[in-house]
Amino acid sequence: MASGSHRSGPGGNLYGDAAPYRSREGLSTRPVAGSDEIQLRIDPMNADMDDEITGLRNHVRQLRNVAQEIHSEATFQKDFLDQLQMTLIKAQAGVKNNMRRLNKNIVKHGSNHIVHVVLFALLLFTVLYLWSKMFRR
């Protein structure tokens, strides 16, 4: 940020007599001799800067509170998901064990449930067929 980058011609300042890097009312900069550093001078006439700084501090405090709330909510959600995952794993294990026991019982005692379902279906269709013949006349 050398002052040469703000010159309009040889030896001329682009901003005229105004201080370079002027940003707002009450703020002005002046280069320090022999250095790339600048000094910032705040005009005490513009005391609204303190109000702006206080407002910024309030905004930062609010943002910090929001970030803490987001962090606590994320932690709660993570714990909840971990518990839900453990419950799901236990339920899957229970279903797997019950299916294994059911299969063992079917093999051990034999299974006539398919025969029972087919006989029930035939009986149901016969009853419906006879019922439709009786009321068709």
Side-chain angles (χ1 to χ4, degrees):
M1 283 193 204
S3 60
S5 63
H6 294 287
R7 298 190 187 276
S8 62
N13 192 342
L14 179 66
Y15 303 106
D17 290 330
Y21 311 116
R22 187 166 184 85
S23 60
R24 284 187 160 184
E25 287 278 329
L27 288 180
S28 61
T29 59
R30 57 181 177 256
V32 177
S35 174
D36 285 340
E37 297 177 1
I38 58 171
Q39 290 181 348
L40 181 65
R41 182 175 58 87
I42 299 176
D43 189 3
M45 297 300 290
N46 296 319
D48 59 321
M49 295 293 279
D50 290 336
D51 294 338
E52 289 184 33
I53 290 171
T54 303
L56 286 173
R57 283 183 181 155
N58 290 337
H59 287 299
V60 169
R61 189 175 300 118
Q62 287 175 346
L63 288 173
R64 187 182 68 227
N65 291 339
V66 168
Q68 289 172 346
E69 288 294 323
I70 290 172
H71 174 71
S72 64
E73 181 66 23
T75 303
F76 173 77
Q77 293 290 333
K78 181 185 174 295
D79 293 343
F80 178 74
L81 286 175
D82 290 343
Q83 289 176 354
L84 185 62
Q85 187 175 15
M86 287 303 292
T87 303
L88 187 63
I89 289 170
K90 289 177 183 177
Q92 285 175 338
V95 167
K96 187 176 180 180
N97 287 336
N98 286 335
M99 289 298 292
R100 188 178 303 130
R101 279 192 285 172
L102 184 62
N103 286 336
K104 282 182 183 179
N105 284 335
I106 288 173
V107 168
K108 183 178 179 181
H109 298 295
S111 174
N112 293 332
H113 69 280
I114 294 177
V115 174
H116 292 127
V117 170
V118 170
L119 288 176
F120 176 74
L122 287 174
L123 179 67
L124 183 66
F125 285 126
T126 304
V127 169
L128 288 175
Y129 177 74
L130 293 174
W131 188 48
S132 67
K133 288 290 184 176
M134 288 175 68
F135 289 110
R136 196 174 231 192
R137 295 184 192 175

